[in-house]
Amino acid sequence: MSDKDKNAAEEAAEGKSKTNFIEAIINEEIKEGKHEGRVHTRFPPEPNGYLHIGHAKAICLSFGIAQKYKGKCNLRFDDTNPSKEETEYVESIKEDVKWLGFQWDEEHFTSDYFDQLYEWAEKMILDGKAYVDDQSAEEIAAQKGTPTKAGIESPYRNRTPEENLRLFRDMRAGKYKEGEKVLRAKIDMAAANMHLRDPLMYRIMHKEHHRTADKWCIYPMYDYAHGQSDYIEKITNSLCTLEFEVHRPLYDWFLDQLVEDEHYRPRQTEFARLNLSYTVMSKRKLLQLVKENYVNGWDDPRMPTVSGMRRRGYTPGSLRNFADTIGIAKRDNVIDVALLEHAVREDLNKVAPRVFGVLDPVKVIITNYPEGQTEEMELINNPEDESQGSRKVPFSREVFIERNDFMVDPPRKFFRMGPGREVRLKGAYIVKCEDYKMNAETGKIEEIYCTYDPDTKSGMSQANRKVKGTLHWVSCAHALDAEIRIYDRLFMDEAPDGHEDKDFKEFLNPESLQKTTAKVEPALANAKALDHFQFQRIGYFNLDPDTQKEGRLIFNRTVPLRDSWSKKGK
RNA sequence: UGCCCGAUGGUGUAAUUGGCAACACGUCUGACUCUGAAUCAGAAAAGUCCAGGUUCGAACCCUGGUCGGGCAACCA
């Protein structure tokens, strides 16, 4: 654990951070002496996909609460549906949780509890609380009624416990086909809460389970498994998202039937899930993007997955800060991605070295600089961290600058180059734009002609002269060509998330991934590959995305014109 | 026309649980800058969905509305 983490934990323990409503509930429980002040949470993903930024919020919450109260937090894989779950996902989830900076106290699988759950099911059958239904899924659905109309009881509802037990054991023994029989809880077909209308507890699935293989052919449903798993693990606070709110009465009902030690009864509390603007987080849709090759895998840098964001250069700390900033509440929310991007910039600015690279080069010729001369300019690697030192960058008569760092007719607050203007080439000289060559047909700038002031080299007497702005540059003679993948937002507009069936792929940004040849400084010669990300206001480079261990570089500004400039004119 | 939940500046969250509505992001203005659009200084912006009620006092409690979300998978 880093010092920073420690401080955060201590601060939280001392109650310096703001308290959310869940902490208020826990404080109340502690005051009442519930669980003897013990706090034990859990993060229970289904291993059917990769974790995304929404999960990161949930992880920070459950693990964060445990840290704050010096309690425990378990990682539990909710693997009750073998048709969707895979070991690949289990591994990625563990990796992502660790990367986020959390270590779970216990690791479990719901499948570890299949025996116990089965035993409890038999008990419920014997108690007359559960029965085997022979009807089809369609028939059961039809009998369920609607939110405004009560359901009707199954003709099999009143079988004797003995018969139910025999049938249930036969189900387990594999005597029936999928869909032929199910086990249902006997609650109330007229309940106002649809989830209480004799919900399914077990269904038959002749499927290989990623952990129990073919041991079972009946699998428990989420509602039957979750509360009991919490109970088994002695979870005190079971935190989940809002859509499970209507499940809580059922969660409690099952516990009512089975809890023997009230002391260990867990409590479910719901919070609002994260919604991010311009971001699709539905696992189903992310899976579709992967399967249909719209992206290059779950960890494609454009994906909102934890692994994608890792490749994109987000730091664990920035994600935790983000989670902390958005807080926890029960009301639906949509967070602007700008807030997330702000969190990375804040973090990256402190750690990432700066380099020169020109994505869209225009040649600048310094007409009064001696031909063939080269100077080594000393550049600070990170203005926010002296310990990162400096490097030498060669300078010569012809340099590339960014195309959008020059405007023929600059608006009021444009501090970069324009005809007749002086700007500083960062770490080198002040230059003045004397002339430029424009393609008459396309209006494209082809070359810019400048003169330099030899007395203004960084560190020299005249170096402090005020100029409009500062530009990054790369010497033409020394520039390296770098194949760069430029990543931008995956979705341009608000694509429908969740279960809406509109084709969200229509909202994909066709230019979310572009390849270009940029001019970069020689120091990047050993970079294996460069991925460039547009974080709204800074360009960010990830060196060597394969190992993900190498550099975090900030390419000196690659910001497009601000809207407000064009609005205001000059 | 059922049940459950929610509603506080543009956005998101607070408000010592009934006691001066605060913080962050964003926006705007100015300053500064060898690019961090960072930083610094300042400003605008809600009177807490509406209508009643209780109270010395209500964002908070009560009643009735309005609006928004969720719930009818052999998914989780």
Side-chain angles (χ1 to χ4, degrees), chain A residues 13 20 25 159 220 252 344 381 461 488 498 501 533-534 537 539:
Chain A
N20 58 50
I25 287 172
R159 296 216 252 226
D252 290 333
V344 221
N381 285 329
S461 57
D488 207 338
D501 281 328
F533 305 103
Q534 305 270 79
R537 282 179 190 165

Side-chain angles (χ1 to χ4, degrees), chain A residues 9 70 73 82 89 92 106 126 136 152 157 163 170 172 199 209 250 267 282 293 325 376 410 484 510 520 547 562 570:
Chain A
K70 302 196 190 319
C73 184
Y89 297 133
S92 75
E106 300 165 20
L126 261 10
S136 69
I152 56 171
R157 196 172 199 261
E163 187 183 8
D170 286 348
R172 179 189 185 174
H209 186 279
L250 184 53
R267 173 179 183 171
S282 141
N293 294 316
T325 305
E376 294 283 320
I484 290 186
V520 301
T547 65
R562 259 216 300 213
K570 354 167 198 160

